[in-house]
Structure formats: structure tokens, C-alpha cells
Amino acid sequence: MNALAATNRNFKLAARLLGLDSKLEKSLLIPFREIKVECTIPKDDGTLASFVGFRVQHDNARGPMKGGIRYHPEVDPDEVNALAQLMTWKTAVANIPYGGAKGGIGCNPGDLSFSELERLTRVFTQKIHDLIGVHTDVPAPDMGTNPQTMAWILDEYSKFHGYSPAVVTGKPIDLGGSLGRDAATGRGVLFATEALLKEYGKGIAGQRIVVQGFGNVGSWAAQLLSEQGGKIVAVSDITGAIKNSSGIDITSLLNHVKESRGVKGFSGGDSIDPNSILLEDCDILIPAALGGVINRDNAKDIKAKFIIEAANHPTDPEADEILSKKGVVVLPDILANSGGVTVSYFEWVQVYIHLFSNFHINIFLLLI
């Protein structure tokens, strides 16, 4: 199902359950602002390449809009719109004083050099700099972006508005980033899983866990769950999938991924079809990659008892209905993966505290 259609369907169901006024419901379905920009850059070989960038600002009723920027070939207006809406609900669930936004560029970052990525990021920032800001819209890293990307955005934005370290979160530590931000979303998955299992009188130790997507979120979640006694029995990423019913040594796998840039070829597990990863026998399934991977075609064959949505909207509404009838418990993404935006809020606040303290120190020095 289309990402925006799925998100809207879930929201309308929630609105009916809450008895939400129809006018308010309609208002919340329409984003505050949608931005589409053309980004043309010179490539390293001298040719020109054009990309389309998006920023959707969904709602600012609770505070500045907040949301990541992803670089991925499948970035399109509907996906960004859906993700921006999900950020509004996520920040509200986490009780953080933010609204929701999301952005992205339709590109394959793996096909671009370091300098090409920098040029693309800076051009994108030039196109949207007057529509983001410390009190308006605060971007963060997402799929295909990282602290370096945020450093480029900060630097380019500061050319127009002066040094503004709180305009993005997920920055390098030296630029005012927050310790633990890289692990935050995965750690949030750990805490959410612990809380859910506790409701059912269970703990993480001994649970058989499958992780689809071994990127930043999936790898941290696997590592932290493993440290708590969870048994990671299957893992996949864009390069392939592996399985070991006795449990995968996550430390060894992390070293392998660092050297080989993927799980493919890891000697501590048997290679399996990546398309079967969601259907592996396990207690807990953690989809930590793209949206819409659990749908009406495969939901009936899922064997997990619990699904922890570490990715954004990984389960279609039609699949939700099938899973509910099977008794599968699904922990929604707007809670399960909210650890990242929670630490982003801490980073945003700590920058303000630092600047505010320096301001008062300077005033004191002037007075004496």
C-alpha cells in the first residue's frame, strides 16, 4: 500500500476511536507546507547531475517541526508526506514539544562520492534555508545521511543566518552533538521491547529475535538486545541475509560488516534468501529497514509473536488486520523508534543552555 494512503488510513481509524471532530481530522491530514526543489550539482567527472529534494512540514502546533532527511532512490512526495505526519504523532507520543516534518532527496548515496554528497547537501540547504530554523523546523539524520551530512547543513545554513548550532540535531560531537545519538533509536527499541514483554510477563533473555535491516537502527538494536540475553537468530541487510538457530555472535558480525560493508559472507551463519527473513521462526520480529515490508501477501505467514516496528510504517494496515486476528502483538513505530527524536531533543536543548549560559557570562563580564 502507498505510504501516504497507509498512514492516512491508520490516522482515520485512530480519529474514529478518539471521536475526533471531523474538521480537526481533516485539518490534521493536510500538511502545513510542502516543499519541492531541484538540486543540480557538478559531478567529479565534470558532468551535471540533477536530483529532486523534498521537505514536508506537517504540523507545528506543539513546537518547532522536527524530522530527518533521508537520501534514498525511493524518496518521493507521498513517502515524505507520510513520514512527516508520523513524526507529528511520534513527538506527541514521546511528549516532546515538537511538531512533525520530514525531508529527503531521491538519490542513491552509494553512487555518489564524498565530495558529490557534500555538494548535493549544500545545494539542497541553499534551496530550503529560509524555511528551516531553530524555532521553525529542525532537521536530523535519517536513512542514507549521518552526522557529517548535518555538519554540512549547519555550515551552509550559517552562511545565511549566522552560526546556529541548534538548526540541526544528530551533529558531530565537536559541533554540539549529543553523546549516544548514534545508538539512541536502537536503544529506544530495546527499552520499548522490554516494556512490552513485561506486560506479558516475559523478559528479553532467551527470546529468539529476527532483525530485518542491519543499518544504524537494526545493528544497535541487535547489539543491545543480545547484551540483555536475547538470541539473534537471523539478520538481513541490502547485501543478503544470514541465519543461525543457535544465535549469531553480534560482535563478530559487526566486525564483519565493518570490513565487508554488509552481512553477506559472514561465516557465523548460513546464507538464506533475504525475502524470507520476515517469515523466519522467532519470538520477536524487528523490521528495521523500509516501510510497507509487511503486507497482506506475507502477513499470514509471519511466525513471530511480537513485532517491534523499528522502521517507519513497516506494516500495512491490511497486514495489521491479519496479524491482529492471528494474535500477533505489534508495537507501533511512533513509540518503538522514538528514541532517536528523544535524544535529538536533548541535543537541541543542550545547545540552547550552552548559548544561554555564554550570553549571561558575556553580559556579566561587560557589567564588571
Side-chain angles (χ1 to χ4, degrees), residues 120-134:
L120 179 59
T121 302
R122 289 183 181 276
V123 168
F124 181 54
T125 307
Q126 291 166 15
K127 297 294 180 74
I128 68 168
H129 75 87
D130 56 341
L131 297 170
I132 62 174
V134 174

Side-chain angles (χ1 to χ4, degrees), residues 78-137:
D78 279 356
E79 183 194 43
V80 178
N81 207 316
L83 293 170
Q85 187 181 144
L86 287 171
M87 281 302 300
T88 297
W89 317 138
K90 184 187 301 184
T91 54
V93 166
N95 198 23
I96 297 168
Y98 281 146
K102 205 74 174 187
I105 299 176
C107 68
N108 186 346
D111 293 341
L112 299 173
S113 69
F114 185 82
S115 58
E116 288 168 344
L117 284 170
E118 178 178 1
R119 288 194 287 273
L120 179 59
T121 302
R122 289 183 181 276
V123 168
F124 181 54
T125 307
Q126 291 166 15
K127 297 294 180 74
I128 68 168
H129 75 87
D130 56 341
L131 297 170
I132 62 174
V134 174
H135 300 292
T136 308
D137 179 3

Side-chain angles (χ1 to χ4, degrees), residues 31-32 70 174 287:
F32 173 80
R70 64 172 51 184
D174 291 345

